[in-house]
Amino acid sequence: MTRVLVLNSGSSSVKYRLFDGSATVAKGLVERIGEAGGEVADHRAALQGIMAEVDLSGLAAVGHRVVHGGTEFTSPTVIDDDVVARVEALVPLAPLHNPAALTGIEVARKLLPDVPQVAVFDTAFHATIPPEGVTWAISRELAERWQIRRYGFHGTSHAYVSRRTAEVLGRDPGQTNVITLHLGNGASACAVEGGRSVATSMGMSPLPGLVMGTRSGDIDPTVIFHLHRVAGLPIDEIENSLTRHSGLQGMAGVNDLRLLLEKRAAGDPDAKLAFDVYCRRIREYVGSYLAVLGRVDAITFTAGVGEHSAVVRAAALSGLEPLGIAVDPSRNERHDEVVSPPGARIPVCVIPTDEELEIADQSRTALSLPR
Ligand code: AMP
């Protein structure tokens, strides 16, 4: 069995998980890096702390989660100086996300110089979306010059759960069409045709699409012009508002869906509306992807909300019975792997995601290592 360390470096945190084969032998989270009163001063200290705590002897690879791979990284990539330079060149496309991964990569390469390192990109799974699914109807010249197009994110999660869905249903993943709904703090939908992504709801950044904990999801871009021109807000403030103070947080004052459900149960009208907006947006994307795929073999819920909230699953799919889509109340309450009624035309599944395991597996594949 080969041991792989998976690192997910954020701007002020490092999440790690050490695998031996598919078993987790250690995991943890270093938070508030660099903050006053935080655990450690910087990413280097964070990784040194992890290395002091976890036995990394016999490590075969380090797999790094990298959010944005642009158009050039369409598969897991063994890291060398050239790859680092190319990921650096993508920072303008992902200023809120890629710098942290680069810091993690730089520190890990210095501290573990003899261990091969692999970059696994959130965007890579969506490289198979056809041009008409990634192109926006804006000036071609502007789009090409500034790399403006849909890239999509959460790729490791959509890849993992769509494959697992086929396995759970006893089907060949290469012959199975799945609509995957990753509903965590970030949220996105994906249409998967025979194991390949053909549509997804996030765009150039993880901002558009479904309603999220603190991100707005889809809005009319005119909102930004209006807030700038009429309300006089600086562009950075608008970005901050749409990414950190919108979504459930913006509508109802809480970003955690459990708290939203509590407020809704207590009769809070903002929480009720936020829940309805959240669920309706999911239903709109399900309808859209039914049309993109034509034949759908399963709809799969995953991530924090998707795996644990029966009420969201039921509300998001309500009214779709004429399309052969429904949830069985008791299966749904139990969070069974299949929550649709027996014999349903389109099975509805609940599949726990495991992005770190997928990153470990993809890292091994990139290095031709056995599991
Ligand atoms: P993730 O980003 O996948 O960790 O998901 C985080 C989201 O999952 C948060 O909004 C949580 O409120 C939500 N979540 C976690 N557990 C539950 C639960 N039991 N019921 C409803 N939502 C949950």
Side-chain angles (χ1 to χ4, degrees):
M1 301 240 246
T2 44
R3 287 161 82 90
V4 179
L5 176 68
V6 173
L7 290 179
N8 183 349
S9 305
S11 54
S12 65
S13 69
V14 177
K15 228 166 125 180
Y16 69 92
R17 198 156 140 203
L18 177 64
F19 289 93
D20 194 359
S22 55
T24 301
V25 290
K27 64 176 182 175
L29 171 69
V30 186
E31 280 182 299
R32 300 179 59 211
I33 296 173
E35 289 177 21
E39 291 174 50
V40 293
D42 55 22
H43 283 75
R44 185 184 172 90
L47 197 58
Q48 276 171 330
I50 294 168
M51 287 169 65
E53 214 161 282
V54 181
D55 175 15
L56 295 181
S57 57
L59 192 63
V62 180
H64 295 269
R65 176 189 178 215
V66 183
V67 170
H68 215 308
T71 47
E72 48 182 318
F73 293 107
T74 57
S75 55
T77 305
V78 180
I79 296 171
D80 58 17
D81 292 344
D82 174 57
V83 169
V84 169
R86 283 156 64 206
V87 174
E88 262 164 12
L90 291 170
V91 165
L93 269 182
L96 303 182
H97 297 96
N98 270 20
L102 278 162
T103 306
I105 289 169
E106 186 195 327
V107 170
R109 288 181 83 204
K110 281 210 183 103
L111 295 180
L112 298 162
D114 301 324
V115 182
Q117 321 244 339
V118 179
V120 178
F121 299 90
D122 262 24
T123 45
F125 181 60
H126 303 298
T128 49
I129 300 177
E132 64 272 24
V134 297
T135 305
W136 288 309
I138 63 168
S139 150
R140 256 193 97 56
E141 189 202 321
L142 280 180
E144 274 171 17
R145 176 151 179 221
W146 299 104
Q147 298 169 277
I148 296 169
R149 48 163 276 172
R150 185 189 305 282
Y151 294 92
F153 300 89
H154 287 147
T156 49
S157 178
H158 291 298
Y160 177 82
V161 300
S162 57
R163 199 176 59 240
R164 282 286 304 137
T165 298
E167 286 166 11
V168 163
L169 296 175
R171 300 180 55 107
D172 171 4
Q175 303 290 329
T176 304
N177 297 350
V178 188
I179 297 173
T180 48
L181 299 164
H182 178 111
L183 310 177
N185 215 353
S188 68
C190 185
V192 183
E193 186 174 55
R196 294 155 62 90
S197 172
V198 293
T200 196
S201 59
M202 284 178 166
M204 190 164 104
S205 78
L207 184 57
L210 302 177
V211 175
M212 310 182 212
T214 65
R215 292 185 210 134
S216 62
D218 290 335
I219 57 165
D220 175 348
T222 304
V223 171
I224 297 164
F225 315 144
H226 187 81
L227 286 174
H228 185 59
R229 254 193 237 121
V230 181
L233 297 187
I235 212 77
D236 287 348
E237 208 172 300
I238 300 172
E239 181 177 44
N240 196 39
S241 177
L242 294 179
T243 54
R244 294 174 195 260
H245 304 287
S246 294
L248 299 178
Q249 176 74 41
M251 288 186 287
V254 285
N255 73 326
D256 188 311
L257 193 102
R258 286 165 290 200
L259 301 178
L260 184 86
L261 293 176
E262 281 172 23
K263 286 183 99 169
R264 176 174 169 263
D268 182 300
D270 290 342
K272 179 187 181 308
L273 178 60
F275 178 84
D276 291 345
V277 173
Y278 183 91
C279 293
R280 178 184 162 122
R281 184 73 49 81
I282 297 168
R283 188 156 64 246
E284 289 177 350
Y285 270 93
V286 168
S288 166
Y289 292 171
L290 284 166
V292 167
L293 289 167
R295 192 200 83 220
V296 173
D297 302 305
I299 296 172
T300 293
F301 286 87
T302 193
V305 175
E307 291 165 28
H308 299 114
S309 180
V311 59
V312 164
R313 292 192 296 260
L317 300 181
S318 72
L320 301 184
E321 292 82 1
L323 299 174
I325 299 167
V327 296
D328 173 89
S330 46
R331 290 179 166 195
N332 195 31
E333 285 301 326
R334 285 197 306 265
H335 315 291
D336 284 357
E337 277 182 333
V338 179
V339 295
S340 44
R345 187 138 50 90
I346 302 182
V348 178
C349 300
V350 177
I351 306 287
T353 193
D354 197 338
E355 291 168 277
E356 285 96 7
L357 177 59
E358 182 70 18
I359 291 170
D361 282 343
Q362 291 195 15
S363 301
R364 282 184 276 237
T365 304
L367 292 163
S368 304
L369 292 169
R371 201 181 210 197

